[in-house]
Coordinates of all heavy atoms in Angstrom, one line a residue:
M1 N 126.1 102.9 106.2 CA 125.2 101.7 106.2 C 124.0 101.9 107.2 O 124.3 102.7 108.2 CB 126.0 100.5 106.6 CG 125.3 99.2 106.2 SD 126.3 97.7 106.8 CE 125.9 97.6 108.4
S2 N 122.9 101.3 106.9 CA 121.8 101.5 107.7 C 121.1 100.2 108.0 O 121.1 99.3 107.2 CB 120.7 102.4 107.0 OG 119.5 102.2 107.5
I3 N 120.7 100.0 109.3 CA 120.0 98.7 109.6 C 118.7 99.1 110.2 O 118.5 100.0 111.2 CB 120.8 97.9 110.7 CG1 122.1 97.3 109.9 CG2 120.0 96.7 111.0 CD1 123.0 96.6 111.0
E4 N 117.6 98.6 109.7 CA 116.2 98.9 110.2 C 115.5 97.6 110.5 O 115.7 96.6 109.7 CB 115.4 99.6 109.0 CG 116.0 101.0 108.7 CD 115.3 101.6 107.4 OE1 114.2 101.8 107.5 OE2 116.0 101.7 106.5
T5 N 114.7 97.5 111.5 CA 113.9 96.4 111.8 C 112.4 96.7 111.7 O 112.0 97.7 112.3 CB 114.3 95.9 113.2 OG1 115.8 95.7 113.3 CG2 113.6 94.6 113.5
Y6 N 111.7 95.8 111.1 CA 110.2 95.9 111.0 C 109.5 94.5 111.4 O 110.2 93.6 111.4 CB 109.8 96.2 109.5 CG 110.3 97.5 109.0 CD1 111.6 97.6 108.4 CD2 109.5 98.6 109.2 CE1 112.1 98.9 108.0 CE2 110.0 99.9 108.7 CZ 111.3 100.0 108.1 OH 111.7 101.2 107.7
T7 N 108.3 94.6 111.8 CA 107.5 93.5 112.1 C 106.5 93.3 110.9 O 105.8 94.1 110.7 CB 106.9 93.4 113.4 OG1 107.9 93.7 114.5 CG2 106.2 92.2 113.7
V8 N 106.6 92.0 110.4 CA 105.6 91.6 109.3 C 104.6 90.7 109.9 O 104.9 89.7 110.6 CB 106.4 91.0 108.1 CG1 105.4 90.4 107.1 CG2 107.3 92.0 107.4
I9 N 103.3 91.0 109.5 CA 102.2 90.1 110.0 C 101.8 89.1 108.8 O 101.7 89.6 107.6 CB 101.0 91.0 110.4 CG1 101.4 91.9 111.6 CG2 99.8 90.1 110.8 CD1 100.4 93.0 111.7
G10 N 101.5 88.0 109.2 CA 100.9 87.0 108.3 C 101.9 85.9 107.7 O 101.5 85.0 106.8
M11 N 103.2 85.9 108.1 CA 104.0 84.9 107.6 C 103.8 83.5 108.4 O 103.7 83.5 109.6 CB 105.5 85.2 107.7 CG 105.9 86.4 106.8 SD 107.8 86.6 106.9 CE 107.9 87.2 108.7
T12 N 103.7 82.4 107.6 CA 103.5 81.2 108.3 C 104.5 80.0 108.0 O 104.4 79.1 108.6 CB 102.0 80.6 107.9 OG1 102.0 80.5 106.4 CG2 101.0 81.6 108.3
C13 N 105.3 80.2 106.9 CA 106.1 79.2 106.6 C 107.4 79.7 105.8 O 107.5 80.9 105.5 CB 105.4 78.1 105.7 SG 105.0 78.7 104.1
G14 N 108.2 78.7 105.4 CA 109.5 79.1 104.7 C 109.2 79.8 103.4 O 110.0 80.7 103.0
H15 N 108.1 79.4 102.8 CA 107.7 80.1 101.5 C 107.5 81.6 101.7 O 107.9 82.4 101.0 CB 106.6 79.5 100.9 CG 106.0 80.3 99.6 ND1 104.9 81.1 99.7 CD2 106.6 80.2 98.4 CE1 104.8 81.5 98.4 NE2 105.7 81.1 97.7
C16 N 106.8 82.0 102.8 CA 106.5 83.3 103.2 C 107.8 84.0 103.4 O 108.0 85.3 103.0 CB 105.7 83.4 104.4 SG 104.1 82.5 104.4
V17 N 108.7 83.4 104.1 CA 110.0 84.0 104.3 C 110.8 84.3 103.1 O 111.3 85.5 102.9 CB 110.9 83.1 105.3 CG1 112.4 83.6 105.4 CG2 110.3 83.0 106.6
S18 N 110.8 83.4 102.1 CA 111.5 83.7 100.9 C 110.7 84.7 100.0 O 111.4 85.5 99.3 CB 111.8 82.4 100.1 OG 110.5 81.9 99.5
S19 N 109.4 84.8 100.1 CA 108.7 85.9 99.4 C 109.1 87.2 99.9 O 109.4 88.2 99.1 CB 107.2 85.7 99.5 OG 106.7 84.5 99.0
I20 N 109.0 87.4 101.2 CA 109.5 88.6 101.8 C 111.0 89.0 101.5 O 111.3 90.1 101.1 CB 109.3 88.6 103.4 CG1 107.8 88.5 103.8 CG2 110.0 89.8 104.1 CD1 107.1 89.8 103.5
S21 N 111.8 88.0 101.6 CA 113.2 88.2 101.4 C 113.5 88.7 99.9 O 114.2 89.7 99.7 CB 114.1 87.0 101.5 OG 113.9 86.5 102.9
T22 N 112.7 88.1 99.0 CA 112.9 88.5 97.6 C 112.3 90.0 97.3 O 113.0 90.8 96.7 CB 112.1 87.5 96.7 OG1 112.6 86.2 96.9 CG2 112.3 87.8 95.2
E23 N 111.1 90.1 97.9 CA 110.5 91.5 97.5 C 111.2 92.7 98.2 O 111.5 93.7 97.7 CB 109.1 91.6 98.0 CG 108.0 91.0 97.1 CD 108.0 91.6 95.7 OE1 108.3 92.8 95.6 OE2 107.5 90.9 94.7
V24 N 111.6 92.4 99.5 CA 112.2 93.5 100.2 C 113.7 93.6 99.7 O 114.2 94.7 99.6 CB 112.2 93.3 101.8 CG1 113.0 94.2 102.5 CG2 110.7 93.3 102.3
G25 N 114.3 92.5 99.3 CA 115.6 92.5 98.9 C 115.7 93.2 97.5 O 116.8 93.6 97.1
S26 N 114.6 93.4 96.7 CA 114.6 94.1 95.5 C 114.5 95.6 95.6 O 114.5 96.3 94.6 CB 113.6 93.5 94.6 OG 112.3 93.9 95.0
V27 N 114.2 96.1 96.8 CA 114.2 97.5 97.0 C 115.5 98.1 96.8 O 116.5 97.6 97.4 CB 113.7 97.9 98.5 CG1 113.7 99.4 98.7 CG2 112.2 97.3 98.7
P28 N 115.6 99.3 96.1 CA 116.9 99.8 95.7 C 117.8 100.2 97.0 O 117.1 100.8 97.9 CB 116.6 101.1 94.9 CG 115.2 100.8 94.3 CD 114.6 99.9 95.3
G29 N 119.0 99.8 96.9 CA 119.9 100.1 98.1 C 120.0 99.0 99.1 O 120.9 99.0 100.0
V30 N 119.0 98.1 99.2 CA 118.9 97.0 100.1 C 120.1 96.0 99.8 O 120.2 95.5 98.7 CB 117.6 96.3 100.3 CG1 117.7 95.1 101.1 CG2 116.5 97.3 100.8
T31 N 120.9 95.8 100.8 CA 122.0 94.8 100.6 C 121.8 93.4 101.3 O 122.4 92.4 100.9 CB 123.3 95.3 101.1 OG1 123.2 95.7 102.5 CG2 123.7 96.6 100.2
A32 N 121.0 93.4 102.4 CA 120.6 92.1 103.0 C 119.3 92.2 103.7 O 119.0 93.3 104.2 CB 121.7 91.8 104.0
V33 N 118.6 91.0 103.8 CA 117.3 91.0 104.5 C 117.4 89.7 105.4 O 117.7 88.6 104.8 CB 116.1 90.9 103.5 CG1 114.9 90.9 104.2 CG2 116.2 92.0 102.5
D34 N 117.2 89.8 106.6 CA 117.1 88.8 107.5 C 115.6 88.7 108.1 O 115.2 89.6 108.7 CB 118.1 88.9 108.7 CG 118.1 87.7 109.5 OD1 118.6 86.6 109.1 OD2 117.5 87.8 110.7
V35 N 115.1 87.4 107.8 CA 113.7 87.3 108.3 C 113.6 86.2 109.4 O 114.1 85.1 109.2 CB 112.7 86.9 107.1 CG1 111.4 86.7 107.6 CG2 112.7 87.9 105.9
D36 N 113.0 86.6 110.5 CA 112.8 85.6 111.6 C 111.2 85.2 111.5 O 110.3 86.0 112.0 CB 113.2 86.2 112.9 CG 113.0 85.2 114.0 OD1 114.0 84.3 114.1 OD2 112.0 85.1 114.7
L37 N 111.0 84.0 111.1 CA 109.6 83.5 110.9 C 108.8 83.5 112.3 O 107.7 83.9 112.3 CB 109.7 82.1 110.3 CG 108.2 81.4 110.1 CD1 107.4 82.3 109.2 CD2 108.5 80.0 109.6
A38 N 109.5 83.1 113.4 CA 108.8 83.0 114.6 C 108.3 84.3 115.1 O 107.2 84.4 115.7 CB 109.7 82.3 115.7
T39 N 109.0 85.4 114.9 CA 108.6 86.6 115.5 C 108.1 87.6 114.4 O 107.5 88.6 114.8 CB 109.8 87.3 116.2 OG1 110.8 87.5 115.2 CG2 110.3 86.4 117.3
G40 N 108.3 87.3 113.2 CA 107.9 88.2 112.1 C 108.9 89.3 111.9 O 108.6 90.3 111.2
K41 N 109.9 89.4 112.7 CA 110.9 90.4 112.5 C 111.7 90.4 111.3 O 112.3 89.3 110.9 CB 111.9 90.4 113.8 CG 111.3 90.8 115.1 CD 111.8 92.2 115.5 CE 111.2 92.7 116.9 NZ 109.8 92.8 116.9
V42 N 111.8 91.5 110.6 CA 112.6 91.5 109.4 C 113.5 92.6 109.6 O 113.3 93.8 109.8 CB 111.7 91.9 108.1 CG1 112.5 92.1 106.9 CG2 110.6 90.8 108.0
T43 N 114.9 92.3 109.4 CA 116.0 93.2 109.6 C 116.6 93.5 108.2 O 116.9 92.6 107.5 CB 117.2 92.6 110.5 OG1 116.4 92.2 111.7 CG2 118.2 93.6 110.8
I44 N 116.6 94.8 107.9 CA 117.0 95.2 106.5 C 118.3 96.0 106.6 O 118.4 97.0 107.3 CB 115.9 96.1 105.9 CG1 114.6 95.3 105.9 CG2 116.4 96.6 104.5 CD1 113.4 96.2 105.6
T45 N 119.3 95.5 105.9 CA 120.6 96.2 105.8 C 120.6 96.9 104.5 O 120.3 96.3 103.5 CB 121.8 95.2 106.0 OG1 121.5 94.5 107.2 CG2 123.1 95.9 106.0
S46 N 120.9 98.2 104.4 CA 121.0 99.0 103.2 C 122.0 100.0 103.3 O 122.6 100.3 104.3 CB 119.6 99.6 103.0 OG 119.2 100.3 104.1
E47 N 122.3 100.6 102.1 CA 123.4 101.6 102.0 C 123.0 102.9 102.7 O 123.8 103.6 103.2 CB 123.6 101.9 100.5 CG 124.2 100.7 99.8 CD 124.1 100.8 98.3 OE1 123.4 101.7 97.7 OE2 124.4 99.7 97.6
R48 N 121.7 103.1 102.6 CA 121.1 104.3 103.4 C 119.7 103.9 103.8 O 119.1 102.9 103.3 CB 121.1 105.6 102.5 CG 120.3 105.3 101.2 CD 120.7 106.4 100.2 NE 120.2 106.1 98.7 CZ 120.6 105.0 98.0 NH1 121.3 104.1 98.6 NH2 120.1 104.9 96.9
P49 N 119.1 104.7 104.7 CA 117.8 104.3 105.3 C 116.8 104.1 104.2 O 116.6 104.9 103.3 CB 117.4 105.3 106.2 CG 118.7 105.9 106.6 CD 119.6 105.7 105.4
V50 N 116.0 103.0 104.1 CA 115.0 102.7 103.1 C 113.8 103.4 103.5 O 113.1 103.9 102.5 CB 114.7 101.2 103.0 CG1 113.7 100.9 102.1 CG2 116.1 100.4 102.7
G51 N 113.3 103.5 104.7 CA 112.1 104.2 105.1 C 110.9 103.3 105.0 O 110.9 102.4 104.2
C52 N 110.0 103.5 105.8 CA 108.9 102.6 106.1 C 108.0 102.5 104.9 O 107.3 101.5 104.5 CB 108.1 102.8 107.4 SG 107.4 104.4 107.4
D53 N 107.8 103.6 104.1 CA 107.0 103.6 103.0 C 107.4 102.5 101.9 O 106.6 101.8 101.5 CB 106.9 104.9 102.3 CG 106.0 105.9 103.1 OD1 105.3 105.5 104.1 OD2 106.0 107.2 102.8
A54 N 108.7 102.6 101.6 CA 109.3 101.6 100.6 C 109.1 100.2 101.1 O 108.8 99.2 100.4 CB 110.7 102.0 100.3
V55 N 109.4 100.0 102.4 CA 109.4 98.7 103.0 C 107.8 98.2 103.0 O 107.6 97.0 102.6 CB 109.9 98.7 104.4 CG1 109.6 97.3 105.1 CG2 111.3 99.0 104.4
R56 N 107.0 99.1 103.4 CA 105.5 98.7 103.4 C 105.1 98.2 102.0 O 104.4 97.2 101.8 CB 104.7 99.9 103.9 CG 103.2 99.6 104.1 CD 102.4 100.8 104.6 NE 103.0 101.3 105.8 CZ 102.7 101.0 107.0 NH1 101.9 99.9 107.2 NH2 103.3 101.5 108.0
E57 N 105.4 99.0 101.1 CA 105.1 98.7 99.6 C 105.7 97.4 99.2 O 104.9 96.5 98.6 CB 105.7 99.8 98.7 CG 105.1 99.9 97.3 CD 105.5 101.1 96.5 OE1 105.6 102.2 97.0 OE2 106.0 100.8 95.4
A58 N 106.9 97.0 99.6 CA 107.4 95.8 99.2 C 106.7 94.6 99.9 O 106.5 93.6 99.4 CB 108.9 95.8 99.5
V59 N 106.5 94.8 101.2 CA 105.8 93.8 102.0 C 104.4 93.5 101.5 O 104.0 92.4 101.4 CB 105.9 94.3 103.5 CG1 104.9 93.4 104.3 CG2 107.2 94.1 104.1
E60 N 103.7 94.6 101.1 CA 102.4 94.4 100.6 C 102.3 93.7 99.3 O 101.5 92.9 98.9 CB 101.6 95.7 100.7 CG 101.3 96.1 102.1 CD 100.5 97.5 102.2 OE1 100.4 98.2 101.2 OE2 100.2 97.9 103.3
E61 N 103.4 94.1 98.5 CA 103.5 93.5 97.2 C 103.7 91.9 97.3 O 103.2 91.2 96.4 CB 104.8 94.0 96.4 CG 105.1 93.7 95.1 CD 104.1 94.4 94.1 OE1 103.6 95.5 94.4 OE2 103.8 93.8 93.0
A62 N 104.3 91.5 98.3 CA 104.5 90.1 98.6 C 103.3 89.4 99.2 O 103.2 88.2 99.3 CB 105.8 89.9 99.5
G63 N 102.3 90.2 99.6 CA 101.1 89.7 100.1 C 101.0 89.7 101.6 O 100.1 89.0 102.1
Y64 N 101.8 90.5 102.3 CA 101.8 90.6 103.8 C 101.6 92.0 104.2 O 101.5 92.9 103.4 CB 103.0 89.9 104.4 CG 103.2 88.6 103.8 CD1 104.1 88.4 102.7 CD2 102.6 87.5 104.3 CE1 104.1 87.1 102.2 CE2 102.8 86.2 103.9 CZ 103.5 86.0 102.8 OH 103.7 84.7 102.2
S65 N 101.5 92.2 105.5 CA 101.4 93.6 105.9 C 102.4 93.9 107.1 O 102.9 93.0 107.7 CB 100.0 93.9 106.3 OG 99.6 93.1 107.3
L66 N 102.7 95.2 107.4 CA 103.6 95.6 108.4 C 102.8 95.9 109.7 O 101.6 96.4 109.5 CB 104.2 96.9 108.0 CG 105.6 97.0 107.2 CD1 106.2 98.3 107.2 CD2 106.6 95.9 107.7
A67 N 103.3 95.4 110.7 CA 102.7 95.8 112.0 C 102.8 97.3 112.1 O 104.0 97.8 111.7 CB 103.3 95.1 113.2
S68 N 101.9 98.0 112.6 CA 102.1 99.5 112.7 C 103.0 100.0 113.9 O 103.2 99.2 114.8 CB 100.8 100.2 112.8 OG 100.1 99.6 113.9
Ligands
LIG1 CU1 104.1 80.5 103.8

């Protein structure tokens, strides 16, 4: 099992949180997504490391961006 943490920029409300949860949750191998709206921290639990490229793609698909 793998746990990775990223910071997402641009979330402002619960709708943003659910958009991120849905998009990142649909990345193959991801089993859980925890989003903290206040800090922008997104914690991803997966069977194996997802990697920042796949996470970035999902986050941008939802309309947000990753802090570098
Ligand atoms: Cu929002």
Side-chain angles (χ1 to χ4, degrees):
M1 197 182 78
S2 161
I3 296 176
E4 295 166 67
T5 304
Y6 296 89
T7 301
V8 171
I9 297 169
M11 292 188 292
T12 56
C13 68
H15 173 258
C16 302
V17 170
S18 71
S19 298
I20 290 287
S21 299
T22 302
E23 281 297 338
V24 176
S26 71
V27 174
V30 172
T31 53
V33 183
D34 183 72
V35 181
D36 186 79
L37 177 59
T39 60
K41 287 255 185 293
V42 177
T43 305
I44 302 168
T45 306
S46 53
E47 293 156 5
R48 57 198 166 301
V50 174
C52 63
D53 287 347
V55 174
R56 186 182 305 276
E57 196 173 309
V59 165
E60 288 178 355
E61 188 74 26
Y64 306 91
S65 56
L66 277 189
S68 52

